[in-house]
Amino acid sequence: AVGSTIKDMIGPMSVAKSLLAGIAASAAIGLGLLGAELKGLANASNAAAGFESLVASIAAIEGSSDKARRSIAKLQEIAKAPGIGFEDAVKGYGGFRRAGLDSEFSFRAVTGAGKVNAASAGGLQEFGRVILAFEQIANKQYLQGEELLQLMDANINVNKPLKEAYGTADTEELKKKGITSKMVLETL
């Protein structure tokens, strides 16, 4: 009698086991989806915080959040062009402004960096390098060889436009001629 009772209980226990396994699998899937959604939310939150940080840095330079938002909007448009990354464009613009360049010149410098980068088939990593070199040029009165090498390392042809504009790409000759870094940035 006990043997048959145990046999009678095995059938329903198997069904219960299958049901519990299904519930556990569903819960695991649900938790996995919840985890993915939370991760996505965290990424979106970090992106929003990063964007606000960029706006705040430009606001400090521009003097108001309204001017900063207009500048950011213009940089978002500029960043749609090939070879330009938004974050590096904002950082580059900020660097040019901190170097004492006016707003319009800084926008042109970011756009120009993107154009020379795209012309050399550079990607976002190269754009960051070009922006860094342009910022370093902007922070000096006269062009130095280090910045030319940085641009050449990023596959930017600097010799041709400098020779066409000034007859030389030699930094010492450019300095003797009174060619400032700002003039070089305009040329490039």
Side-chain angles (χ1 to χ4, degrees), residues 61-130:
I61 293 165
E62 300 289 18
S64 79
S65 60
D66 284 343
K67 284 182 182 178
R69 289 196 186 280
R70 283 194 299 273
S71 294
I72 292 288
K74 190 166 185 175
L75 289 164
Q76 284 174 319
E77 286 301 311
I78 290 170
K80 290 179 182 177
I84 300 180
F86 173 69
E87 188 173 333
D88 284 326
V90 173
K91 289 178 181 176
Y93 175 82
F96 297 138
R97 296 289 282 130
R98 282 187 294 280
L101 303 176
D102 67 52
S103 176
E104 287 307 312
F105 186 91
S106 297
F107 285 128
R108 286 195 316 273
V110 170
T111 302
K115 285 180 181 177
V116 297
N117 186 50
S120 68
L124 294 181
Q125 183 177 7
E126 288 82 8
F127 178 69
R129 290 170 47 201
V130 171

Side-chain angles (χ1 to χ4, degrees), residues 18 33 40 57 60-61 64 79 83 85 88 92 95-96 98 104-105 116 128 143 149 169 177 182 185 188:
S18 295
L33 291 175
S57 71
I61 293 165
S64 79
D88 284 326
F96 297 138
R98 282 187 294 280
E104 287 307 312
F105 186 91
V116 297
L143 180 67
L149 289 175
K177 291 181 174 190
K182 185 175 180 182
L185 284 174
L188 296 176

Side-chain angles (χ1 to χ4, degrees), residues 1 11 15 41 83 92 96 99 106 142 183:
V15 171
L41 183 60
F96 297 138
S106 297
Y142 295 101
M183 293 167 72

